[in-house]
Amino acid sequence: MTQTVAVIGAGPGGLVTARWLRSQGFEPTIFEQGSALGGQWTGQRGHSGVWPAMYTNTSRVLTAFSDLEHEGDLAFLSNHDVLAYLDRYADMFGLRTRIRFGRVDHLARVGDRWQVTCDGTDEAFDRVVVATGRFRSPAIPAVPGIGSFTGSAGIISTFHYRGAKPYAGKRVLVAGCAVSALDIATELAQLGAARVVVTQRRQRYVLPKFAAGVPSDHRIFTRYGTVANEALPSAEIERQLKEIVLEANGSPEQYGAPAPDPSLFAAGVTLNQGYLPLVAEGRITVRPWMTSVSGTQLSFADGHTEEFDGILFGTGFALDLPFLDDDIRATLDLDAVHLDADRYTFHPDLPGLAIVGMWDQSGGYFVPLELQARWIAYTWGGAIPPPGKAEQRSAIADYRTRRGTSQKTRMNLAALTFARAARVEPHLDNWPDLRRALLFGPLAPSCFRLEGPDALPEAQARFMRDAAAFGAITSNELTEREFRYWSQVAPR
């Protein structure tokens, strides 16, 4: 008898999971609280943090699934391009008719099935996938006096930003140092704000989206980086990454921003193309974190005070799964930052439940989302053995030792984790003509169709195109630096 699966969320994670579940013979029903498929990429107010002028920070090669390439040859895509891509993907796999629009109010385990309550109506399913997204509930830090702010442009999170027009001629403070904060500060400075100040707790290194004609995500989110992470001391991994970042963009203090922590891992890295040049031109000013607010006047940790008309908070997101039953929440030990799950996906005490896309990472999500979806579908469908409960409990115990610390994951580490779990990581010895591309090229979705379940005959040719798309990998000959790096970790 065909098993039914409720997939909660029709964004990239929900769509790609439903596609792979169908391939394993399941009958998915997709629940979506918005009025259209696409999740964040719809740009719908209240459901999305995507603003009209937003472009991806990840290249088109890494902002795609393995079954469908993007149309055109743009390096970086507008949000409208991504939404159109998701529409084509849904049509390609017959997913549109499986979407049920409505708000899921409650999810509970009832006997050996899962009960979904949507708009007041209960329905039982054999299994359930939670794919509602990691970036939907803005986290706004407490600042003394913030409630007294009287600036004419008000206070919002970057999640609710919809363009620069309301800030024309205004003095604007942008709080935060991650992607949305720097992208929006850049847009405001270029589109008519009278003054733009960025306040942050720490200065991050900034990596441009493009360096020497190559998207930066092709250089830093590689399989070599994952191998190095497993084989080398943390200090050497950090040194190698920092070398790439500094070669591409220098260090923030060279532009007039504060000097970041010498440790790249302590400081963090944000992808942005235009922010630091605007700091160098004086069109964006950087301040330490704000200490208090009184009316329109803000004070900062360096003793400086200044008047502002508007404040935007780009300070991250809290995990928000309000529809989960209390028993599920307790089992996952869910809070605003963490949930207990084996590799962010399964819990041994919640059989038939899978979680998609709930880890926090740097880099694009499309590739690891598909790999996570394949792991779920292959495990439930019997294409690969399921992880043992002892293995799952050990993984969760290891995760718990790191709760309370920063657990932002690099895209390549997440992708290879799921690829190995799904048994689709290509073996280097099987592809001598692709060795360099598989090590130092982009972790394109095509490389995960070379081997394992659902391998494709055309995957080799497509991966060769993906690896060479921007000229970074045009031969199988290692560069001097690649040879130096690889010699430290290559099997003897």
Side-chain angles (χ1 to χ4, degrees):
M1 183 176 177
T2 302
Q3 289 202 328
T4 59
V5 185
V7 178
I8 305 176
L15 293 173
V16 74
T17 304
R19 174 264 186 271
W20 285 102
L21 286 170
R22 287 199 70 194
S23 78
Q24 290 293 311
F26 293 96
E27 286 292 332
T29 298
I30 307 169
F31 291 87
E32 171 54 48
Q33 69 172 348
S35 60
L37 68 84
Q40 290 283 334
W41 297 101
T42 64
Q44 292 183 347
R45 292 180 182 271
H47 300 300
S48 167
V50 170
W51 62 96
M54 196 194 90
Y55 277 72
T56 63
N57 268 275
T58 54
S59 66
R60 72 164 189 273
V61 171
L62 298 185
T63 313
F65 300 132
S66 65
D67 294 300
L68 182 64
E69 297 182 80
H70 284 285
E71 297 175 342
D73 57 1
L74 292 175
F76 294 92
L77 306 167
S78 74
N79 62 90
H80 309 289
D81 295 328
V82 178
L83 182 58
Y85 175 87
L86 293 173
D87 274 309
R88 294 201 311 276
Y89 186 83
D91 290 335
M92 181 177 184
F93 292 104
L95 303 178
R96 192 180 300 275
T97 58
R98 293 179 174 272
I99 300 174
R100 189 176 303 173
F101 294 102
R103 182 182 179 85
V104 171
D105 303 307
H106 195 238
L107 172 66
R109 179 82 168 165
V110 178
D112 61 354
R113 305 193 79 199
W114 294 90
Q115 181 174 284
V116 175
T117 304
C118 180
D119 289 343
T121 299
D122 296 335
E123 188 172 352
F125 293 86
D126 298 307
R127 301 176 187 267
V128 65
V129 175
V130 174
T132 48
R134 178 70 177 77
F135 307 106
R136 51 192 295 271
S137 183
I140 306 296
V143 179
I146 194 69
S148 74
F149 183 70
T150 56
S152 60
I155 300 175
I156 62 170
S157 75
T158 54
F159 183 82
H160 298 107
Y161 174 80
R162 287 299 179 272
K165 187 175 180 179
Y167 301 96
K170 305 284 187 182
R171 301 161 298 178
V172 188
L173 180 72
V174 181
C177 56
V179 171
S180 65
L182 299 195
D183 279 359
I184 288 171
T186 299
E187 184 171 304
L188 290 171
Q190 292 171 329
L191 297 180
R195 178 164 169 78
V196 178
V197 175
V198 170
T199 179
Q200 50 195 19
R201 298 184 189 278
R202 69 184 190 279
Q203 175 66 57
R204 290 188 180 185
Y205 293 88
V206 180
L207 183 66
K209 296 196 298 185
F210 244 124
V214 178
S216 291
D217 57 6
H218 287 222
R219 296 189 189 277
I220 62 171
F221 300 125
T222 65
R223 183 171 173 183
Y224 165 78
T226 305
V227 175
N229 192 73
E230 298 163 340
L232 298 178
S234 178
E236 175 59 16
I237 301 165
E238 179 180 60
R239 187 198 68 77
Q240 292 181 9
L241 285 172
K242 188 174 179 180
E243 184 178 60
I244 294 170
V245 171
L246 293 183
E247 281 186 4
N249 213 36
S251 194
E253 72 271 16
Q254 295 174 267
Y255 297 80
D261 192 293
S263 167
L264 185 85
F265 290 164
V269 181
T270 298
L271 275 168
N272 179 276
Q273 195 71 24
Y275 168 76
L276 284 179
L278 291 172
V279 173
E281 293 172 358
R283 296 166 67 187
I284 294 176
T285 300
V286 184
R287 294 282 177 203
W289 194 246
M290 66 193 100
T291 55
S292 65
V293 181
S294 178
T296 59
Q297 183 168 285
L298 275 74
S299 300
F300 299 90
D302 60 359
H304 177 81
T305 62
E306 189 169 343
E307 305 254 336
F308 290 93
D309 302 302
I311 304 174
L312 293 100
F313 279 94
T315 44
F317 295 83
L319 268 178
D320 184 26
L321 301 169
F323 53 86
L324 293 184
D325 184 78
D326 287 344
D327 288 343
I328 301 173
R329 300 176 71 85
T331 302
L332 295 173
D333 198 13
L334 180 69
D335 61 23
V337 179
H338 303 283
L339 59 81
D340 288 349
D342 172 19
R343 287 161 282 185
Y344 312 104
T345 308
F346 298 117
H347 195 288
D349 297 329
L350 296 169
L353 170 71
I355 300 164
V356 166
M358 293 298 173
W359 69 95
D360 188 12
Q361 76 169 33
S362 58
Y365 273 79
F366 275 63
V367 175
L369 280 175
E370 177 172 12
L371 292 166
Q372 187 182 33
R374 291 173 71 183
W375 180 32
I376 293 166
Y378 293 162
T379 298
W380 283 353
I384 62 173
K389 287 195 173 185
E391 177 188 2
Q392 290 183 321
R393 293 191 194 283
S394 176
I396 290 170
D398 177 64
Y399 175 83
R400 289 189 64 81
T401 65
R402 294 176 281 117
R403 281 180 79 128
T405 63
S406 174
Q407 297 202 26
K408 185 177 283 290
T409 303
R410 297 200 301 276
M411 174 268 187
N412 53 324
L413 303 185
L416 266 296
T417 293
F418 297 135
R420 291 167 181 174
R423 303 192 179 187
V424 296
E425 179 186 17
H427 295 81
L428 291 176
D429 291 344
N430 294 342
W431 306 96
D433 293 339
L434 296 177
R435 189 176 186 82
R436 183 187 176 212
L438 286 170
L439 281 171
F440 293 100
L443 280 178
S446 52
C447 79
F448 299 109
R449 302 297 292 273
L450 291 168
E451 295 183 21
D454 294 294
L456 292 174
E458 63 271 23
Q460 180 176 0
R462 179 174 169 192
F463 179 58
M464 290 175 70
R465 292 199 310 273
D466 288 340
F470 299 98
I473 304 292
T474 55
S475 75
N476 207 24
E477 200 68 33
L478 295 180
T479 66
E480 181 180 342
R481 175 159 62 191
E482 290 167 352
F483 179 80
R484 186 172 73 249
Y485 283 2
W486 181 237
S487 65
Q488 296 182 68
V489 299
R492 297 294 189 265

